[in-house]
Amino acid sequence: MTYDAVRSPTEGSAAAGEPVRHPLVGRPGKVIALHLNYPSRIAQRGRAPAKPSYFLKPVTSLAASGQTVERPPGAELLAFEGEIALVIGKTARRVTPEQGWSCVAGVTAANDLGVYDLRAADKGSNLRSKGGDGYTPLGPELIPAAAIDPATLRVRTWVNGELEQQDSAGTVVFPFAELVADLSQLITLEPGDVVLTGTPAGSSVVAPGDVLEVEVDVPDSEHRSGRLRTTVAEGTHPLPEYSAQPAVDDHQRAEAWGSREAAGLPAPFELTGELVAKLRTVGVATLSAQLRKHGYNQVSIDGVRTNHPGRKLIGRARTLRFVPAREDLFREHGGGYNAQKRAFDALGPGEVLVVEARGERGTGTVGDILALRAQVNGAAGIVTDGGVRDWAAVAELDIPTFSAGPHPAVLGRRHVPWDRDITVACGGTSVQPGDVIVGDDDGVLVIPPALLDTVLDAAIEQESEEEWIAARVAEGAAVDGLYPLSGQWRERYEAERTTRKESE
């Protein structure tokens, strides 16, 4: 089936200077793409949308089956996304979900191609990354919408003949008729407009020479779009200096390939139970000494003390930032579900909320209700270089809190809750989300995750040495040559350690 109501009188590529037309849909007014819809893709992305969200693609991005798409010179992350495309058949304005499907003329296969190297330049609009010429192939045939139940549709994608994506529209979070209705509340959908309905898991990176095929069908029926075929080619026109250049980082590589593993990147750092158990065996003072040996002197959160003496604090950092109080800013940002409340609600098991309060002790930055919320969420602790309200009540909770001390004043006296999960300054040191936080009666340290294994093993060895040294001092030995170990004392320690290991 082809959509003759908007079909171009001259199919195929337009001559220079003529409007681009597509063999199936002519020249639609707009191409609208959905960000996330399939649960399999949502699980990969790690974020679940409460409502649909969209972006626009230029009509000049449309291409027909059998055409070539260019990867810009200097780019490495061209990714495919096989999708089901809806072609609007009649004007839709403020229709209901029950009316939505009747506004669709047909469905076909689409490939929502994108260059992840260009995502950063447009701050999420996707214009550069997904709007290039040829980046929305459609076709080759339309399946009449009136002849099918949209929930029975299937989308599949092949790369060089290997099946890479397969999913059913029956699994989507936002049914297709509901998408039409949702869009029509603010945007008039017109005949020939195209709506891309999201891609399932399996999207990944392709390279010049690869051949992509996408097909939409109703299994065990005659309803099928045929295979939409696109060949990837290397672009021959580098982007000029005045254009944003391709730029990637490991986050974009992981998103483009579908996972860090698929991108060949090391697994993200995890504070495992084994690491936590090791950290419990060493003191903050010992860890500080080892960090200093590695050139890290600015990693202690100064001016804070614990409300749980003898209790160890170990976890990954989440962060909250307060700015100095100003009446208009507090009116705008201090009330309601502000950044402070969001930060405490978002805490998870094993996480430590680190609060930047500029060392200001003249007001509380956390009280008993929010501390209780952190405890219920399974958080490992709270660290603030400001004050704590309800000091006695907070101390009675199980969650350890390190602070500059008690203060009865409410937040607005000195602070405005401003932002969370950013790099903050707490107690004179920088803290980034994900840093390892370790605290005891001596204070609190911030350990960059990449250093933890090295520093921890050395700290465990140092603690072993110092325990042995303390035993010798208790026997009456002088510290000269013993602390630190050297000469004959070092030889004796190494010999005893070897014997102990052999016996174990």
Side-chain angles (χ1 to χ4, degrees):
M1 172 190 176
T2 55
Y3 189 25
D4 294 326
V6 293
R7 189 175 179 185
S8 168
T10 56
E11 297 179 4
S13 300
E18 294 182 3
V20 174
R21 293 182 177 271
H22 189 277
L24 285 185
V25 297
R27 185 176 174 84
K30 47 195 168 290
V31 179
I32 302 172
L34 182 68
H35 279 111
L36 290 170
N37 204 4
Y38 288 84
S40 60
R41 178 71 161 178
I42 289 169
Q44 279 188 320
R45 284 293 191 248
R47 56 183 185 272
K51 300 294 180 182
S53 65
Y54 312 91
F55 59 94
L56 287 170
K57 299 191 75 171
V59 295
T60 49
S61 70
L62 291 174
S65 184
Q67 294 186 334
T68 297
V69 65
E70 290 188 353
R71 187 183 71 178
E76 66 173 83
L77 301 178
L78 173 63
F80 65 87
E81 294 182 9
E83 304 200 15
I84 298 170
L86 314 181
V87 179
I88 301 300
K90 66 180 182 180
T91 300
R93 176 62 169 151
R94 296 196 176 108
V95 300
T96 66
E98 292 73 26
Q99 298 168 323
W101 191 245
S102 68
C103 299
V104 178
V107 300
T108 192
N111 199 336
D112 183 18
L113 292 156
V115 182
Y116 281 71
D117 311 57
L118 298 177
R119 289 177 90 186
D122 287 327
K123 305 299 182 185
S125 76
N126 287 334
L127 179 61
R128 296 173 195 265
S129 61
K130 285 179 171 281
D133 287 358
Y135 276 57
T136 317
L138 295 177
E141 300 292 335
L142 281 176
I143 302 171
I148 60 168
D149 174 355
T152 64
L153 289 166
R154 174 178 63 176
V155 60
R156 291 179 291 173
T157 307
W158 295 263
V159 178
N160 300 326
E162 297 291 328
L163 184 64
E164 300 292 343
Q165 288 183 293
Q166 179 171 249
D167 215 327
S168 167
T171 70
V172 297
V173 176
F174 308 113
F176 298 162
E178 186 178 301
L179 295 178
V180 174
D182 179 44
L183 287 166
S184 76
Q185 301 309 305
L186 294 173
I187 302 169
T188 298
L189 298 177
E190 300 172 315
D193 285 350
V194 176
V195 179
L196 306 184
T197 58
T199 194
S203 165
S204 193
V205 173
V206 287
D210 287 339
V211 177
L212 314 175
E213 295 174 294
V214 184
E215 184 173 62
V216 171
D217 67 351
V218 176
D220 302 319
S221 80
E222 74 280 8
H223 298 301
R224 59 186 64 249
S225 68
R227 290 202 183 187
L228 170 67
R229 182 183 174 92
T230 305
T231 302
V232 181
E234 185 67 55
T236 57
H237 294 81
L239 291 167
E241 180 275 333
Y242 53 78
S243 292
Q245 300 299 304
V248 298
D249 55 24
D250 286 351
H251 173 71
Q252 296 297 347
R253 290 187 177 95
E255 292 239 317
W257 284 93
S259 68
R260 292 182 64 88
E261 181 181 10
L265 299 170
F269 173 80
E270 180 183 357
L271 188 58
T272 63
E274 180 182 359
L275 287 172
V276 171
K278 284 185 175 182
L279 283 167
R280 293 198 183 282
T281 68
V282 295
V284 162
T286 306
L287 290 166
S288 178
Q290 290 300 325
L291 284 164
R292 181 176 176 81
K293 288 181 179 179
H294 286 81
Y296 284 77
N297 296 299
Q298 311 299 324
V299 288
S300 62
I301 298 180
D302 296 335
V304 300
R305 59 189 175 96
T306 181
N307 63 354
H308 278 277
R311 181 87 169 271
K312 199 73 171 280
L313 168 68
I314 302 170
R316 301 290 300 279
R318 300 288 295 273
T319 61
L320 170 64
R321 179 187 176 214
F322 293 128
V323 299
R326 203 176 85 184
E327 288 76 5
D328 59 329
L329 296 181
F330 193 84
R331 285 194 297 271
E332 294 173 9
H333 299 275
Y337 194 48
N338 59 36
Q340 180 196 39
K341 294 175 182 176
R342 294 197 301 272
F344 277 90
D345 265 350
L347 284 174
E351 295 178 336
V352 177
L353 184 63
V354 180
V355 181
E356 175 185 338
R358 310 176 312 284
E360 172 54 62
R361 300 178 59 181
T363 188
T365 57
V366 58
D368 57 345
I369 298 299
L370 291 180
L372 177 61
R373 177 60 175 157
Q375 176 177 298
V376 169
N377 283 351
I382 303 163
V383 180
T384 172
D385 61 357
V388 171
R389 296 182 69 228
D390 312 307
W391 176 269
V394 173
E396 289 178 359
L397 297 173
D398 289 335
I399 187 169
T401 298
F402 288 74
S403 73
H407 199 283
V410 295
L411 188 70
R413 181 170 184 257
R414 298 287 173 83
H415 302 297
V416 180
W418 198 254
D419 205 353
R420 63 189 180 95
D421 289 332
I422 59 171
T423 300
V424 299
C426 182
T429 193
S430 296
V431 183
Q432 294 192 301
D435 281 342
V436 177
I437 306 297
V438 184
D440 62 18
D441 293 352
D442 281 341
V444 180
L445 288 179
V446 181
I447 305 177
L451 275 180
L452 183 61
D453 278 335
T454 300
V455 168
L456 182 52
D457 287 343
I460 291 172
E461 177 58 31
Q462 180 181 333
E463 293 254 325
S464 176
E465 285 188 15
E466 291 182 353
E467 287 178 7
W468 190 87
I469 292 169
R472 304 293 79 76
V473 171
E475 293 169 354
V479 295
D480 184 27
L482 175 61
Y483 184 62
L485 281 175
S486 62
Q488 292 181 343
W489 283 117
R490 166 64 68 183
E491 293 175 3
R492 177 179 167 184
Y493 169 75
E494 295 293 348
E496 291 186 14
R497 185 177 67 162
T498 299
T499 300
R500 183 174 64 252
K501 286 185 175 180
E502 289 175 352
S503 65
E504 291 174 351

